[in-house]
Amino acid sequence: MNNKINMSALLTLSNLHGTGVAYTSRPSYDSNPWLSNEEHQSNYLTGREILIADQLPMLVHQASVTDKLTSLFELVGLEIPDNIFTFDDKYSYECLIQQLAYKDGNKILFQYPHSEDVLSNRHYGVDKDLFIALNNKSRLAEWTNNKYLPDREVINIEDFSSAMSKWSFPFVLKIGDDLPTSGGNGVMICDNNNDLELAKMKISNDQNVSKTIIIERKIEVRMNYSVQYAYSKSKGLIFLGATEQLTDTAGHYQGNHKLEHIPQAVVQAGKEIMQTAVDKGYLGVAGFDLLVDKNENIYAIDLNFRQNASTSLLMLAPMLKSGHHKFFTYISPCDNKLFFNTIFKYVQKGILFPIAYYDGDWHSDDGIKSRFCGIWHGGSKDYLEKSEIQFLKEIDTSLINN
């Protein structure tokens, strides 16, 4: 294995979880309307934590560890580690989980819970019931000790229409059951009646799986912090850092900027939440979305007791060039060859650090788009933003052809 990762990263997953644990970040193959069921997105996610897994055995889709990733890693002096177990479909994925657990004696650290048909609950790296409870948005008050909460109401879905009559715009609707969500799915921002009607349609379509809805006052945000913490018995509770989470008008994720100056009150709020989970038995990484309004009030709107997009950005910070750091994911809008060559060019320039590459051309089917995530680094915010704009122009064939 390449020891540079172990020596250079701020922290790794194996630092936290030790031996006898294997990791998978893939959502279950079971259907979940609140996670992207797009197969290639789910497969792409399996490569995102390769560089921070360290010694932890890791399940990765074969298309995420092709020669394309090898070439990108070579540009920054890295290698694909040898702790990778690859799969290519549902059957091989679930067989690997069962082999690593039942035959090899590992606990499995899941990014998202799987059914007991896939793995017995007693083989989870983090207690399954606790893991699900901590990530349930309707139980936010428990994990914040009734602090840092916007006005909110948790209702049964059959009471949704009557409850809505008591609320005025703007507000946010969220699913409130045990199904995991990601990337803003399951969150519906309602600024007007049109937004509400669209939300009602979505809720109506999925009411067979979501029994609880959260109505939450929309906060007029001055700053959106994604704060990250980690805990292990040997290292204690660690503040990893914070990023500014970027979202579009619909609340969907648009990347993260690393922040150097975080108000102590924000750090402390996150620490209190993390300590509550640790007291319940949680072990590992967690990231919390904490909003600050114009009056400096702090609101916890989402708690993710798992790795997220900020985790690699913060853990790999010592390996990045000084200056501004931004993490983002790109899906090829052009042919995969142009997409890869453009990424290669910017990594070679030393301003784009590769994290994961999902190789659409690995598949025999035509039209599978490649995906990439990385960190812009090594310059000012203005310089890197201009570089990213130029990068996007170069992969946008509609602009190239015009």
Side-chain angles (χ1 to χ4, degrees):
M1 169 177 274
N2 184 348
N3 290 326
K4 291 181 181 179
I5 298 303
N6 195 31
M7 293 189 297
S8 302
L10 176 67
L11 193 69
T12 67
L13 297 183
S14 62
N15 292 153
L16 297 172
H17 295 278
T19 59
V21 179
Y23 173 61
T24 174
S25 60
R26 196 194 192 284
S28 168
Y29 275 89
D30 294 337
S31 176
N32 175 356
W34 305 112
L35 283 176
S36 172
N37 286 321
E38 206 280 320
E39 179 181 358
H40 300 291
Q41 177 67 11
S42 296
N43 291 337
Y44 147 75
L45 286 173
T46 63
R48 195 179 64 182
E49 278 84 41
I50 284 177
L51 292 180
I52 62 170
D54 192 15
Q55 306 293 327
L56 219 62
M58 187 174 176
L59 283 74
V60 181
H61 191 275
Q62 289 183 11
S64 287
V65 281
T66 69
D67 58 347
K68 302 288 198 312
L69 184 66
T70 298
S71 297
L72 294 175
F73 276 4
E74 286 177 349
L75 291 176
V76 293
L78 299 175
E79 299 172 358
I80 296 176
D82 58 12
N83 57 328
I84 301 298
F85 291 79
T86 60
F87 66 93
D88 61 7
D89 58 14
K90 181 179 188 291
Y91 177 76
S92 59
Y93 173 70
E94 293 179 355
C95 284
L96 263 180
I97 288 175
Q98 292 161 5
Q99 174 194 318
L100 287 165
Y102 299 146
K103 184 178 179 180
D104 299 342
N106 292 289
K107 297 284 187 179
I108 305 297
L109 179 65
F110 285 100
Q111 180 79 340
Y112 302 101
H114 290 39
S115 72
E116 198 161 3
D117 291 340
V118 176
L119 188 71
S120 170
N121 294 354
R122 67 179 181 275
H123 289 276
Y124 273 59
V126 174
D127 179 82
K128 184 178 181 179
D129 291 337
L130 176 63
F131 181 52
I132 291 173
L134 288 171
N135 288 292
N136 186 324
K137 290 179 172 61
S138 70
R139 301 180 65 173
L140 203 65
E142 294 178 55
W143 317 129
T144 62
N145 292 312
N146 289 297
K147 298 169 64 177
Y148 312 116
L149 297 177
D151 292 338
R152 70 197 315 259
E153 183 179 5
V154 181
I155 60 171
N156 294 325
I157 195 166
E158 57 265 25
D159 300 323
F160 175 66
S161 295
S162 59
M164 278 289 85
S165 64
K166 305 171 188 176
W167 284 77
S168 59
F169 299 116
F171 52 80
V172 181
L173 302 176
K174 302 177 181 180
I175 67 158
D177 54 26
D178 289 338
L179 287 172
T181 63
S182 179
N185 293 312
V187 176
M188 294 148 279
I189 297 174
C190 297
D191 290 318
N192 51 51
N193 280 315
N194 185 56
D195 294 338
L196 178 57
E197 289 305 312
L198 292 173
K200 285 179 177 179
M201 290 174 58
K202 188 167 184 61
I203 291 168
S204 176
N205 289 339
D206 294 308
Q207 62 179 312
N208 60 318
V209 292
S210 299
K211 304 302 182 185
T212 306
I213 297 294
I214 301 161
I215 311 170
E216 194 172 271
R217 177 61 55 203
K218 182 182 177 183
I219 304 302
E220 296 302 322
V221 181
R222 185 179 63 79
M223 194 67 175
N224 184 346
Y225 293 96
S226 177
V227 292
Q228 292 259 321
Y229 300 83
Y231 175 79
S232 72
K233 292 181 179 179
S234 62
K235 294 184 175 296
L237 199 160
I238 302 167
F239 175 57
L240 296 176
T243 66
E244 178 187 6
Q245 181 160 283
L246 308 175
T247 58
D248 62 18
T249 55
H252 294 130
Y253 176 73
Q254 294 292 298
N256 289 77
H257 293 295
K258 185 175 184 292
L259 296 172
E260 299 299 330
H261 304 289
I262 308 101
Q264 186 57 38
V266 172
V267 176
Q268 182 60 30
K271 185 177 180 181
E272 291 173 16
I273 296 168
M274 185 66 174
Q275 187 62 57
T276 297
V278 168
D279 292 343
K280 294 288 185 180
Y282 184 71
L283 170 72
V285 173
F288 312 136
D289 294 345
L290 303 181
L291 307 184
V292 177
D293 68 11
K294 64 181 181 180
N295 297 316
E296 303 299 325
N297 296 308
I298 299 171
Y299 298 96
I301 62 163
D302 197 17
L303 309 180
N304 293 294
F305 288 90
R306 54 177 174 255
Q307 288 66 231
N308 63 26
S310 292
T311 307
S312 290
L313 172 60
L314 295 171
M315 284 189 176
L316 297 175
M319 302 175 62
L320 305 174
K321 293 181 179 179
S322 60
H324 186 66
H325 296 164
K326 180 194 173 182
F327 173 96
F328 198 46
T329 294
Y330 304 93
I331 301 176
S332 174
C334 54
D335 71 83
N336 291 333
K337 182 177 180 181
L338 173 62
F339 184 63
F340 175 78
N341 288 341
T342 308
I343 291 167
F344 189 94
K345 169 186 171 180
Y346 281 84
V347 173
Q348 194 170 42
K349 288 177 68 174
I351 58 174
L352 183 58
F353 188 90
I355 299 294
Y357 188 88
Y358 183 73
D359 188 356
D361 292 338
W362 177 86
H363 298 272
S364 57
D365 298 338
D366 292 333
I368 306 300
K369 295 182 179 298
S370 295
R371 297 159 195 253
F372 168 80
C373 70
I375 302 170
W376 294 95
H377 70 133
S380 67
K381 181 178 180 181
D382 180 65
Y383 170 70
L384 291 177
E385 285 180 344
K386 290 178 179 177
S387 298
E388 184 181 17
I389 290 170
Q390 181 59 37
F391 166 81
L392 292 172
K393 288 180 179 178
E394 292 180 32
I395 62 174
D396 190 330
T397 52
S398 66
L399 290 176
I400 293 172
N401 294 333
N402 289 330

Short mmCIF file of all heavy atoms in Angstrom, two decimals, residues 2 12 17 21 41-42 47 56-57 76 119 136 153 165 182 195 247 260 280 296 321 347-348 372 397:
data_model
loop_
_atom_site.label_atom_id
_atom_site.label_comp_id
_atom_site.label_asym_id
_atom_site.label_seq_id
_atom_site.Cartn_x
_atom_site.Cartn_y
_atom_site.Cartn_z
N ASN A 2 0.39 2.31 -0.56
CA ASN A 2 1.11 3.58 -0.60
C ASN A 2 1.06 4.24 0.77
O ASN A 2 0.02 4.67 1.24
CB ASN A 2 0.46 4.49 -1.65
CG ASN A 2 1.24 5.79 -1.80
OD1 ASN A 2 2.11 6.11 -1.01
ND2 ASN A 2 0.91 6.53 -2.84
N THR A 12 -7.49 9.17 9.10
CA THR A 12 -8.05 8.20 8.17
C THR A 12 -9.11 7.37 8.88
O THR A 12 -9.20 7.36 10.11
CB THR A 12 -6.97 7.25 7.62
OG1 THR A 12 -6.47 6.43 8.68
CG2 THR A 12 -5.83 8.04 6.99
N HIS A 17 -11.39 3.39 13.21
CA HIS A 17 -12.10 2.12 13.38
C HIS A 17 -11.19 0.92 13.61
O HIS A 17 -11.67 -0.15 13.96
CB HIS A 17 -13.00 1.86 12.16
CG HIS A 17 -14.09 2.87 12.02
ND1 HIS A 17 -15.27 2.81 12.72
CD2 HIS A 17 -14.17 4.00 11.26
CE1 HIS A 17 -16.04 3.84 12.40
NE2 HIS A 17 -15.40 4.57 11.51
N VAL A 21 -12.64 -4.25 10.55
CA VAL A 21 -13.78 -3.49 10.03
C VAL A 21 -13.56 -3.27 8.53
O VAL A 21 -12.45 -2.92 8.11
CB VAL A 21 -13.92 -2.12 10.73
CG1 VAL A 21 -15.10 -1.34 10.14
CG2 VAL A 21 -14.13 -2.31 12.23
N GLN A 41 -24.61 6.47 -10.29
CA GLN A 41 -24.31 7.38 -9.19
C GLN A 41 -23.97 6.59 -7.92
O GLN A 41 -23.03 6.92 -7.20
CB GLN A 41 -25.49 8.32 -8.94
CG GLN A 41 -25.31 9.28 -7.76
CD GLN A 41 -24.21 10.31 -7.97
OE1 GLN A 41 -23.70 10.46 -9.08
NE2 GLN A 41 -23.85 11.00 -6.91
N SER A 42 -24.75 5.56 -7.65
CA SER A 42 -24.50 4.73 -6.48
C SER A 42 -23.15 4.02 -6.59
O SER A 42 -22.41 3.90 -5.60
CB SER A 42 -25.62 3.71 -6.31
OG SER A 42 -26.85 4.35 -6.04
N GLY A 47 -16.14 5.00 -4.66
CA GLY A 47 -14.73 5.38 -4.75
C GLY A 47 -14.36 6.63 -3.99
O GLY A 47 -13.18 7.00 -3.93
N LEU A 56 -8.33 0.24 5.91
CA LEU A 56 -9.66 -0.35 6.02
C LEU A 56 -10.05 -1.06 4.71
O LEU A 56 -10.07 -0.42 3.66
CB LEU A 56 -10.68 0.76 6.32
CG LEU A 56 -11.82 0.47 7.29
CD1 LEU A 56 -11.26 0.16 8.67
CD2 LEU A 56 -12.76 1.66 7.37
N PRO A 57 -10.35 -2.35 4.74
CA PRO A 57 -10.86 -3.00 3.53
C PRO A 57 -12.10 -2.27 3.03
O PRO A 57 -12.95 -1.86 3.81
CB PRO A 57 -11.20 -4.42 4.00
CG PRO A 57 -10.35 -4.63 5.21
CD PRO A 57 -10.26 -3.28 5.88
N VAL A 76 -0.30 12.97 -9.00
CA VAL A 76 -0.11 13.60 -7.69
C VAL A 76 0.69 12.69 -6.75
O VAL A 76 0.71 12.89 -5.54
CB VAL A 76 -1.47 13.97 -7.04
CG1 VAL A 76 -2.15 15.07 -7.85
CG2 VAL A 76 -2.39 12.76 -6.92
N LEU A 119 -27.16 -8.55 5.43
CA LEU A 119 -26.23 -8.78 6.53
C LEU A 119 -26.96 -8.69 7.85
O LEU A 119 -27.75 -7.76 8.08
CB LEU A 119 -25.10 -7.75 6.50
CG LEU A 119 -23.97 -8.01 7.51
CD1 LEU A 119 -23.15 -9.23 7.08
CD2 LEU A 119 -23.05 -6.79 7.64
N ASN A 136 -32.19 9.95 11.62
CA ASN A 136 -33.62 10.20 11.42
C ASN A 136 -33.92 11.67 11.73
O ASN A 136 -33.77 12.12 12.87
CB ASN A 136 -34.44 9.28 12.33
CG ASN A 136 -35.93 9.38 12.07
OD1 ASN A 136 -36.46 10.45 11.77
ND2 ASN A 136 -36.62 8.27 12.20
N GLU A 153 -42.38 21.12 13.24
CA GLU A 153 -43.46 20.26 13.65
C GLU A 153 -43.30 18.93 12.94
O GLU A 153 -43.08 18.88 11.73
CB GLU A 153 -44.81 20.90 13.29
CG GLU A 153 -46.03 20.11 13.75
CD GLU A 153 -47.33 20.80 13.40
OE1 GLU A 153 -47.29 21.85 12.71
OE2 GLU A 153 -48.39 20.29 13.80
N SER A 165 -52.36 24.18 7.02
CA SER A 165 -53.19 25.40 7.15
C SER A 165 -52.69 26.32 8.25
O SER A 165 -53.04 27.50 8.29
CB SER A 165 -54.64 25.00 7.43
OG SER A 165 -54.76 24.32 8.67
N SER A 182 -30.00 11.88 0.82
CA SER A 182 -28.69 12.41 0.44
C SER A 182 -28.85 13.51 -0.59
O SER A 182 -29.77 13.48 -1.41
CB SER A 182 -27.82 11.28 -0.16
OG SER A 182 -26.56 11.76 -0.56
N ASP A 195 -44.59 25.91 -5.17
CA ASP A 195 -43.65 25.00 -4.52
C ASP A 195 -44.39 23.98 -3.68
O ASP A 195 -44.05 22.79 -3.65
CB ASP A 195 -42.66 25.77 -3.64
CG ASP A 195 -41.73 26.67 -4.41
OD1 ASP A 195 -41.52 26.42 -5.61
OD2 ASP A 195 -41.21 27.63 -3.81
N THR A 247 -25.51 25.40 -1.97
CA THR A 247 -26.73 24.76 -2.47
C THR A 247 -27.38 25.66 -3.51
O THR A 247 -27.14 26.87 -3.54
CB THR A 247 -27.74 24.50 -1.34
OG1 THR A 247 -28.06 25.74 -0.70
CG2 THR A 247 -27.16 23.54 -0.30
N GLU A 260 -11.47 28.58 6.90
CA GLU A 260 -10.37 28.68 7.85
C GLU A 260 -10.80 29.31 9.17
O GLU A 260 -10.22 29.06 10.21
CB GLU A 260 -9.22 29.51 7.25
CG GLU A 260 -8.63 28.90 5.99
CD GLU A 260 -8.05 27.51 6.22
OE1 GLU A 260 -7.59 27.24 7.35
OE2 GLU A 260 -8.08 26.69 5.29
N LYS A 280 -24.16 7.96 23.47
CA LYS A 280 -25.07 6.88 23.13
C LYS A 280 -24.35 5.68 22.53
O LYS A 280 -24.95 4.62 22.32
CB LYS A 280 -26.12 7.38 22.13
CG LYS A 280 -27.07 8.43 22.67
CD LYS A 280 -28.06 7.83 23.66
CE LYS A 280 -29.08 8.86 24.10
NZ LYS A 280 -30.05 8.28 25.06
N GLU A 296 -27.07 36.06 14.44
CA GLU A 296 -26.07 35.13 14.99
C GLU A 296 -26.69 33.94 15.70
O GLU A 296 -26.02 33.25 16.49
CB GLU A 296 -25.09 35.86 15.95
CG GLU A 296 -24.36 37.02 15.34
CD GLU A 296 -23.49 36.61 14.15
OE1 GLU A 296 -22.93 35.51 14.18
OE2 GLU A 296 -23.40 37.40 13.18
N LYS A 321 -2.30 21.89 -1.74
CA LYS A 321 -1.54 23.13 -1.76
C LYS A 321 -2.28 24.20 -0.97
O LYS A 321 -3.51 24.19 -0.87
CB LYS A 321 -1.35 23.60 -3.21
CG LYS A 321 -0.46 22.69 -4.04
CD LYS A 321 -0.31 23.23 -5.45
CE LYS A 321 0.59 22.34 -6.30
NZ LYS A 321 0.71 22.85 -7.68
N VAL A 347 -5.48 18.42 -13.47
CA VAL A 347 -4.73 17.76 -12.40
C VAL A 347 -3.24 17.95 -12.65
O VAL A 347 -2.46 18.23 -11.73
CB VAL A 347 -5.08 16.26 -12.32
CG1 VAL A 347 -4.17 15.53 -11.34
CG2 VAL A 347 -6.55 16.07 -11.92
N GLN A 348 -2.83 17.83 -13.91
CA GLN A 348 -1.42 18.01 -14.28
C GLN A 348 -0.94 19.42 -14.00
O GLN A 348 0.23 19.64 -13.64
CB GLN A 348 -1.25 17.66 -15.76
CG GLN A 348 0.19 17.48 -16.21
CD GLN A 348 0.26 16.91 -17.62
OE1 GLN A 348 -0.50 17.30 -18.51
NE2 GLN A 348 1.16 15.96 -17.84
N PHE A 372 -16.59 12.29 -11.88
CA PHE A 372 -15.32 12.62 -11.22
C PHE A 372 -15.60 13.53 -10.04
O PHE A 372 -16.47 14.41 -10.11
CB PHE A 372 -14.39 13.33 -12.22
CG PHE A 372 -13.19 13.97 -11.58
CD1 PHE A 372 -12.07 13.22 -11.24
CD2 PHE A 372 -13.17 15.34 -11.31
CE1 PHE A 372 -10.96 13.82 -10.65
CE2 PHE A 372 -12.06 15.94 -10.74
CZ PHE A 372 -10.96 15.17 -10.41
N THR A 397 -19.51 20.59 -24.76
CA THR A 397 -19.37 20.49 -26.21
C THR A 397 -20.26 21.48 -26.95
O THR A 397 -19.96 21.86 -28.07
CB THR A 397 -19.67 19.08 -26.69
OG1 THR A 397 -20.96 18.67 -26.17
CG2 THR A 397 -18.62 18.10 -26.21
#
